Amino acid sequence: MTDLLSALRDAIGDEHVLTEEADISPYAADWRGAYRGTPLAVARPSSTNEVAAVVRLAHEAGVAIVPQGGNTGMCGGAIPSGDGSQIVLSLGRLRAIRSVDAAGGTITVEAGVVLAEVQTAAAAVDRLFPLSLGSEGSCTVGGNIATNAGGTAVLRYGMMRSLVLGLEVVLPDGRVWDGLRSLRKDNTGYDLTQLYIGAEGTLGIVTAAVLTLHPATPARATAWVALPSVAAAASLLPLLREYAAERLTTWELVARPALDLVVDAGLQDPLASDAEWFGLIELAGPFGASVDDDLERALGAAVEQGLVLDAAIAGSPAQRAGLWALRERVSEAQESLGPTIKHDVSVPITSLDELVADLGVSLADALPGIRPIIYGHVGDGNLHYNLSRPVDLDGADFVAHTDALSKIVHDATAALGGSISAEHGLGSGKAAAAAAYKSEVEVDLMRAVKDALDPAGLMNPGKVLS
Ligand code: FAD
Ligand code: MLT
Ligand code: ZN
């Protein structure tokens, strides 16, 4: 190992190979402290060639690599094992925006560029990069690609995989695949770009990407609504689309206990409603688009049909930001209740009410006093069905119930034809669970891909496939 470390230092500079406890500790645990590992070292290369050198040297030494971007992931994908045998490769110094092509609608960026920086660069040329996550100030493009991130505009623009045209990838043996194409059409064989998207660093390291830019949407109309039920939230989707068509960008759900958390944390509740369910709607379009009228007409119809109980429409950018915060701050606010057992499930949208009703009963039976904090991307059929401890149960004792409680959530999801990871990926936390809900054929195919592309098994081992 001493030889490897000194070869790494020669390749990328002494100060960019970290081994001291104080230096490596920020890379050793996730932001929630739910996953913790012990890196052999942290390597911080600054270019594709340096990434390739690190990977080649690690490959020659038979040492595994764990890629890490902004370390905002939810399931431990960027955290190394606890045995001190794996190198964390941070992409944080690959920060260049290589080019912006407003006319062609593309931007080429390095993997360590923070998502918000891509959005800003797009806005500077009157374009939109539509991926939108609560973590956009810290997560990176490489992490977004590796997790196939979702977020709050999937309804309209799709997930990260529909926003990527080309990739540059360092392969597990250190060779570089230059797939940085900006073509909308390219049917020349297997789609390797799509294979690396959502692979969570298990097949190679993304060093750069060509991303799609969309027309800017400066006209926005945003509402916070109180709902009679989850079924109403699902029925609202076709109604909103009837009035707003493709301008419907966001349709998010927040349950009462989740709203109470952010209000307790200091946010203002715009509706004095005693409803149990709330939602955030946003319509967006070009200058002059009739989004305000469309939203008002849609809400009028929704109230008439009993799908919406009450609504507050943002009258200024500050009010809009206030409504968005009610949804985006839930994730962090829940940490105030102690450790969270997180779930990220999706079902056909018409089954959401059944899922919520079933789980309400079965989880309360399994652990009386348990506090579900439910919110998510209802327009995508995707709920974050998160659990907080009963008030009289210690955090560590609660976490000991994780497997049993998650099995209840995942079984109910699978029974409705759903997925146990809609947008966060599998990391180490959900790899085994996912395999249990897939057919043998599907797991075999996934293993065949992994074995073909990473025969030595040195790329983020234990993630995705346990
Ligand atoms: P990391 O956490 O560093 O890594 C995630 C995975 O990608 C790991 O497996 C890692 O090994 C791999 N990886 C990272 N970089 C590379 C690379 N260059 N090449 C290959 N593999 C790589 N996610 C959503 O999908 N939707 C949301 O709405 C959402 N909201 C969030 C809100 C908050 C407040 C927080 C904290 C997180 C949220 N997330 C959400 C989760 C997270 O932000 C995303 O998964 C994000 O895409 C991770 O990016 P990252 O750069 O932090 O990746
Ligand atoms: C969100 O939608 O807020 C995120 O995916 C984060 C979470 O699951 O808490
Ligand atoms: Zn989410």
Side-chain angles (χ1 to χ4, degrees):
M1 287 315 136
T2 323
D3 287 352
L4 172 61
L5 293 178
S6 77
L8 290 174
R9 290 191 168 108
D10 288 346
I12 65 170
D14 219 7
E15 69 277 30
H16 298 303
V17 180
L18 314 177
T19 49
E20 293 299 322
E21 172 66 24
D23 296 333
I24 62 177
S25 69
Y27 302 86
D30 71 322
W31 65 280
R32 294 191 296 133
Y35 299 90
R36 198 166 291 280
T38 310
L40 169 66
V42 176
R44 302 182 68 248
S46 66
S47 65
T48 302
N49 284 342
E50 286 193 1
V51 173
V54 171
V55 173
R56 196 168 44 248
L57 290 167
H59 182 256
E60 284 164 10
V63 168
I65 294 235
V66 180
Q68 191 176 99
N71 199 9
T72 66
M74 295 288 186
C75 32
I79 304 305
S81 61
D83 59 8
S85 69
Q86 302 180 344
I87 289 178
V88 171
L89 192 157
S90 166
L91 280 300
R93 292 177 68 223
L94 272 77
R95 287 293 280 270
I97 294 183
R98 292 189 186 168
S99 64
V100 184
D101 176 359
T106 63
I107 183 168
T108 304
V109 299
E110 293 188 344
V113 175
V114 168
L115 173 55
E117 293 169 355
V118 182
Q119 296 166 341
T120 303
V125 295
D126 288 330
R127 295 291 182 275
L128 174 76
F129 183 66
L131 190 78
S132 174
L133 314 180
S135 55
E136 62 201 23
S138 335
C139 65
T140 62
V141 167
N144 301 151
I145 291 169
T147 59
N148 184 27
T152 52
V154 171
L155 261 186
R156 178 164 178 180
Y157 298 102
M159 296 181 66
M160 188 63 174
R161 73 168 70 256
S162 49
L163 301 170
V164 178
L165 292 173
L167 290 180
E168 178 186 82
V169 181
V170 171
L171 308 185
D173 59 6
R175 287 180 299 157
V176 179
W177 172 51
D178 180 355
L180 282 178
R181 298 170 196 133
S182 52
L183 304 172
R184 256 82 185 176
K185 300 182 94 170
D186 176 15
N187 269 349
T188 54
Y190 302 132
D191 193 332
L192 300 176
T193 301
Q194 288 297 326
L195 193 56
Y196 287 105
I197 301 171
E200 300 184 51
T202 61
L203 303 179
I205 297 181
V206 174
T207 47
V210 183
L211 307 176
T212 310
L213 298 180
H214 283 262
T217 54
R220 290 164 72 192
T222 313
W224 180 256
V225 294
L227 304 159
S229 62
V230 176
S235 302
L236 206 48
L237 179 64
L239 183 146
L240 290 169
R241 282 201 161 128
E242 209 176 291
Y243 284 83
E246 82 291 343
R247 287 180 185 163
L248 175 65
T249 305
T250 296
W251 177 212
E252 297 281 311
L253 188 73
V254 176
R256 158 69 66 188
L259 175 64
D260 288 346
L261 276 178
V262 290
V263 169
D264 288 350
L267 298 187
Q268 209 188 331
D269 180 354
L271 300 172
S273 166
D274 57 8
E276 286 301 314
W277 298 96
F278 298 86
L280 179 78
I281 300 167
E282 189 159 283
L283 274 45
F287 273 121
S290 59
V291 286
D292 295 309
D293 288 350
D294 292 345
L295 181 60
E296 277 186 34
R297 287 190 311 122
L299 289 176
V303 170
E304 218 163 83
Q305 292 179 29
L307 299 176
V308 162
L309 300 172
D310 201 359
I313 296 180
S316 66
Q319 285 181 6
R320 173 170 300 117
L323 299 187
W324 268 94
L326 292 169
R327 162 63 183 88
E328 291 204 311
R329 298 263 183 90
V330 176
S331 184
E332 281 160 285
Q334 189 175 3
E335 298 302 306
S336 68
L337 300 181
T340 305
I341 301 179
K342 281 193 164 280
H343 301 105
D344 167 36
V345 299
S346 62
V347 293
I349 186 166
T350 44
S351 299
L352 277 175
D353 58 333
E354 191 179 342
L355 179 72
V356 169
D358 288 355
L359 288 178
V361 174
S362 47
L363 289 166
D365 279 352
L367 188 63
I370 194 166
R371 288 175 290 174
I373 303 294
I374 307 168
Y375 56 100
H377 317 285
V378 64
D380 310 325
N382 175 193
L383 289 186
H384 299 306
Y385 199 110
N386 292 344
L387 303 173
S388 287
R389 66 188 168 83
V391 280
D392 53 0
L393 189 66
D394 171 63
D397 292 340
F398 175 59
V399 171
H401 292 269
T402 301
D403 287 351
L405 295 172
S406 292
K407 186 168 184 324
I408 292 171
V409 176
H410 293 159
D411 281 354
T413 301
L416 292 167
S419 165
I420 69 154
S421 182
E423 59 171 11
H424 293 161
L426 299 174
S428 54
K430 291 184 192 157
Y437 296 99
K438 287 184 183 290
S439 69
E440 206 182 315
V441 172
E442 195 168 345
V443 175
D444 279 355
L445 285 170
M446 284 173 60
R447 276 203 190 284
V449 172
K450 170 74 175 171
D451 291 346
L453 271 67
D454 178 24
L458 295 178
M459 278 290 138
N460 217 358
K463 315 293 166 52
V464 179
L465 288 159
S466 62

